[in-house]
Amino acid sequence: MGNCIYKIQIDQKAQTHDQIEQKIVDEVIKDEIIQTPPLIEPKKILTQNYEVVVQENSDSQTPNVFSSQSSNPQVKYQQDLQLSPDILVRNQKEGEMFSLHYEIIRKLGQGGFGSVYQVKHLKTNLIRAAKVIQKQAIDDEQLLISESQILKDLDHPNIVKILEVFSDAQNIYIITECLCGGELLERVRSITNYNEDIAKYYMQQILSAMVYCHNRKIVHRDLKPENILFDDKDINSNLKIIDFGASEKIISKKLTTKIGTPYFLAPEILGSNGYDEKVDVWSCGVILYILLIGKAPFRGKNQLETLQLAQKAHLSFSGQRWNNISPEAIDLVKHMIQKDPQKRISMKDALNHKWIQNQSKQSIQFDQDFFKEITKFKGYNNLRVAINQFVTVQISKKEEKYKFLQIFKSLDKNGDGLLSQQEILQGMINVKMDKIESKLMVKEIMEKIDTDHSGRVDFTEFLTASIIQEQMFLKESLKSAFRLFDLDGNGTISRIELEEIFGGIQIDNSAWQDILAACDNNKDGLIEEDEFIALLANLE
């Protein structure tokens, strides 16, 4: 979760017209104003209307441009229980001490504005990652809020999951799942028989995640191998995109902030006409180039020379290494690393490219019994659904989720990170279920699992229904979940504690009574551990 380490900040009000701005951009590329920084104090260099702050990240192989500007609106906490991914993230009260909840195990990385640590949650003993960002290192704290807010709204199997946010006078702490499988290039180097098919498998996952982001108008702007990690060391481990610190949502107009990592920076980012999500396509194209032959397409003697080479966008496909690469893979690289963003392929078209789609068929990960069981999943009120999903996101372990992750990916034929009714129906037909029966059954499944009524099944919706219906939660996990909800540690969960868990919402009395009716066996108006376990284990 490396932080950005180069920042170019533009005073837009000082620009009189596009030619002046372009002239300054050209000077940034032409003149080596970005120099090797001192080890302690960052070096500030002022040039006309630019402020360049250079900082060193010893852990990163590639430098990074970071800006404190952000156009995202002020984040507001919701006051009612609307089912969405962001309610599954715990927002601690301002000033709540991080150290009372987490123990730092070891440092994972160092960035220009903070550090990333492996931490242990004290109540549950779960291992997580904590990105600790110093407020004094950031000019605009809104940028940090934007990062956490963007992550809260994302629910995709190939995007890191945010779990909790703390804020005190000195720092902001962004808690995410801990991905212990190493970085993308580390994984590639460790594979003895690495080949083009493996590169294709990894690229398909990256593109799927980015199609999901682009469908929501979110631009990552810092895609690089260091920001792609694996769940664990298993050879078939799932990969995830991390570090949305440079990301931004396109609201009404093109983005203009000069931001990114030079080796992966699209040419138009340094231009004067703005840019859109196509900059991520360029970055993914560079990643694909590296995955195929092991070196970057644009690599100068220094960062400025690298930027100059990227501006020219002259690709070379000569040499022995390229002789072993398929024409289809080369074709995709050419379409992604295209200087003109208008001619550059979209992320969706890249995902649908013949090279990506021509993958060896994997065995079907589900059978008729799976669909018959999932149909039995009970519909609940929003509070019950929120509790179930909160536990799935916050507590469930990889071994509890792995089977259903594979099923979800098998069903998600278009790779957009969502399941449509047609995709689920096709899955039923693929396992030889009766077509008429399947059409009736799929409607019932959608009604029960599509809890936010979006018309498609999100990843967490699918995981929650699958794990609970097949009673895959380990008892240890359910006990950990209880401790997470029991905020005062008195052995019971109250209505007030549930309200605080979900960000200070007001829980409707009828919803609370429904929960008590399902599990409060001793009728004391509180939920004890055994009652909570029965509720989550789908035993009532």
Side-chain angles (χ1 to χ4, degrees):
M1 300 173 71
N3 288 306
C4 297
I5 53 175
Y6 281 95
K7 178 174 71 174
I8 299 178
Q9 181 176 349
I10 306 169
D11 182 358
Q12 298 288 358
K13 294 180 180 179
Q15 308 301 311
T16 57
H17 48 72
D18 288 346
Q19 288 80 3
I20 293 178
E21 184 178 347
Q22 184 61 55
K23 180 180 178 182
I24 297 172
V25 172
D26 291 341
E27 288 177 357
V28 172
I29 298 175
K30 181 179 178 181
D31 301 325
E32 291 192 23
I33 63 170
I34 301 179
Q35 303 174 11
T36 303
L39 295 178
I40 302 176
E41 291 294 329
K43 183 175 182 179
K44 291 189 178 182
I45 305 168
L46 300 179
T47 168
Q48 296 187 34
N49 296 314
Y50 276 79
E51 178 190 3
V52 181
V53 180
V54 184
Q55 295 182 318
E56 180 71 13
N57 181 351
S58 59
D59 292 340
S60 179
Q61 298 175 355
T62 50
N64 197 332
V65 183
F66 187 83
S67 169
S68 63
Q69 296 179 347
S70 174
S71 61
N72 283 335
Q74 178 69 32
V75 176
K76 296 181 180 179
Y77 294 111
Q78 59 189 62
Q79 298 301 314
D80 54 355
L81 189 58
Q82 299 295 322
L83 292 174
S84 60
D86 68 307
I87 70 164
L88 308 179
V89 179
R90 180 79 199 281
N91 291 287
Q92 291 286 356
K93 294 178 180 178
E94 179 71 26
E96 181 72 18
M97 292 181 65
F98 166 80
S99 60
L100 294 180
H101 297 263
Y102 288 93
E103 173 190 341
I104 293 177
I105 299 175
R106 64 188 179 97
K107 192 173 187 177
L108 297 175
Q110 174 70 48
F113 301 103
S115 304
V116 181
Y117 300 92
Q118 186 182 74
V119 298
K120 181 174 72 173
H121 189 260
L122 295 177
K123 273 193 171 184
T124 64
N125 291 324
L126 291 172
I127 302 301
R128 295 174 171 177
K131 184 175 183 179
V132 184
I133 307 169
Q134 299 174 1
K135 289 183 177 180
Q136 65 179 10
I138 303 295
D139 297 330
D140 186 357
E141 192 173 317
Q142 179 60 41
L143 185 68
L144 300 179
I145 297 174
S146 298
E147 175 183 1
S148 60
Q149 188 60 37
I150 284 175
L151 272 176
K152 287 178 187 178
D153 290 333
L154 300 180
D155 183 18
H156 188 281
N158 297 116
I159 297 176
V160 68
K161 201 68 181 173
I162 185 173
L163 304 173
E164 200 164 10
V165 179
F166 290 81
S167 178
D168 58 29
Q170 289 78 37
N171 302 312
I172 287 181
Y173 309 81
I174 299 177
I175 315 300
T176 69
E177 58 185 325
C178 188
L179 306 175
C180 303
E183 297 175 0
L184 178 61
L185 294 188
E186 290 177 354
R187 175 61 61 94
V188 169
R189 295 188 193 103
S190 70
I191 299 175
T192 304
N193 298 315
Y194 179 77
N195 56 52
E196 186 177 314
D197 285 339
I198 297 175
K200 184 189 303 184
Y201 176 64
Y202 292 160
M203 205 66 214
Q204 189 274 335
Q205 295 179 70
I206 296 168
L207 294 175
S208 174
M210 292 317 302
V211 166
Y212 179 89
C213 289
H214 287 186
N215 284 343
R216 286 151 185 77
K217 301 297 182 183
I218 293 169
V219 188
H220 188 284
R221 300 195 296 191
D222 195 26
L223 290 167
K224 56 186 177 181
E226 295 99 312
N227 284 341
I228 300 169
L229 304 182
F230 288 84
D231 273 338
D232 52 47
K233 298 292 185 181
D234 187 272
I235 189 64
N236 297 315
S237 176
N238 190 53
L239 68 75
K240 295 188 179 182
I241 295 174
I242 67 166
D243 200 347
F244 282 71
S247 62
E248 188 163 358
K249 191 167 187 176
I250 299 177
I251 298 175
S252 59
K253 57 184 179 180
K254 288 188 174 183
L255 305 176
T256 57
T257 306
K258 275 50 179 176
I259 189 169
T261 296
Y263 286 113
F264 305 90
L265 195 73
E268 64 268 26
I269 289 180
L270 294 180
S272 60
N273 297 320
Y275 57 89
D276 57 20
E277 70 278 359
K278 288 286 190 72
V279 299
D280 286 340
V281 178
W282 173 283
S283 300
C284 284
V286 175
I287 292 171
L288 175 56
Y289 191 105
I290 295 171
L291 287 176
L292 290 173
I293 68 163
K295 65 178 183 179
F298 313 112
R299 190 177 183 89
K301 296 177 182 178
N302 51 55
Q303 309 308 328
L304 270 298
E305 188 172 308
T306 296
L307 290 173
Q308 288 176 320
L309 291 172
Q311 287 290 320
K312 296 175 182 177
H314 292 156
L315 289 172
S316 172
F317 296 99
S318 60
Q320 181 61 38
R321 293 182 181 180
W322 284 111
N323 292 339
N324 299 321
I325 302 300
S326 68
E328 292 80 10
I330 293 174
D331 180 73
L332 179 56
V333 171
K334 289 179 178 178
H335 279 86
M336 296 179 79
I337 309 180
Q338 163 62 247
K339 182 176 181 179
D340 184 352
Q342 297 297 321
K343 297 178 181 178
R344 192 179 306 153
I345 196 171
S346 70
M347 200 68 78
K348 182 178 180 180
D349 287 341
L351 179 62
N352 291 326
H353 189 274
K354 57 185 176 182
W355 181 70
I356 293 290
Q357 292 300 314
N358 185 25
Q359 299 207 37
S360 56
K361 289 189 176 181
Q362 299 179 342
S363 59
I364 295 177
Q365 302 291 331
F366 47 86
D367 55 20
Q368 292 188 16
D369 288 341
F370 170 77
F371 292 109
K372 291 175 181 177
E373 281 300 313
I374 207 72
T375 307
K376 299 175 185 177
F377 182 72
K378 300 173 183 176
Y380 301 116
N381 63 41
N382 279 8
L383 177 59
R384 177 76 175 273
V385 170
I387 293 172
N388 291 342
Q389 292 183 358
F390 190 86
V391 172
T392 299
V393 169
Q394 295 277 342
I395 300 295
S396 59
K397 298 180 178 180
K398 291 181 177 67
E399 57 265 36
E400 295 165 331
K401 295 186 288 188
Y402 180 78
K403 171 185 175 182
F404 306 114
L405 167 65
Q406 300 307 314
I407 293 175
F408 184 90
K409 287 188 171 185
S410 296
L411 291 171
D412 183 20
K413 292 301 182 183
N414 68 358
D416 65 353
L418 299 164
L419 297 183
S420 66
Q421 181 170 312
Q422 183 59 38
E423 285 174 323
I424 297 174
L425 177 60
Q426 187 59 51
M428 293 177 167
I429 294 173
N430 288 345
V431 292
K432 312 301 182 185
M433 293 185 70
D434 179 78
K435 288 186 178 181
I436 296 177
E437 180 185 356
S438 296
K439 287 182 179 180
L440 295 174
M441 190 180 293
V442 74
K443 291 182 179 179
E444 188 177 355
I445 290 175
M446 292 297 293
E447 288 174 0
K448 292 180 177 180
I449 299 179
D450 179 23
T451 54
D452 63 359
H453 309 295
S454 66
R456 292 188 289 180
V457 176
D458 299 323
F459 182 50
T460 296
E461 290 174 335
F462 181 83
L463 269 186
T464 302
S466 301
I467 291 174
I468 289 179
Q469 186 55 39
E470 296 206 13
Q471 298 183 17
M472 290 295 290
F473 273 128
L474 301 174
K475 193 166 185 178
E476 175 189 350
S477 295
L478 295 176
K479 288 185 175 182
S480 293
F482 177 80
R483 291 193 293 272
L484 201 63
F485 281 87
D486 180 17
L487 297 179
D488 60 11
N490 70 348
T492 62
I493 300 172
S494 67
R495 177 174 172 175
I496 293 175
E497 286 173 317
L498 276 183
E499 290 177 337
E500 186 172 335
I501 281 283
F502 292 118
I505 61 168
Q506 297 294 315
I507 292 178
D508 179 77
N509 186 61
S510 62
W512 174 243
Q513 292 303 320
D514 284 347
I515 295 292
L516 293 180
C519 68
D520 184 20
N521 296 326
N522 61 6
K523 309 300 180 184
D524 63 352
L526 299 169
I527 304 173
E528 298 174 1
E529 184 180 78
D530 59 337
E531 295 170 338
F532 183 81
I533 289 175
L535 183 75
L536 268 293
N538 202 31
L539 299 178
E540 85 287 357

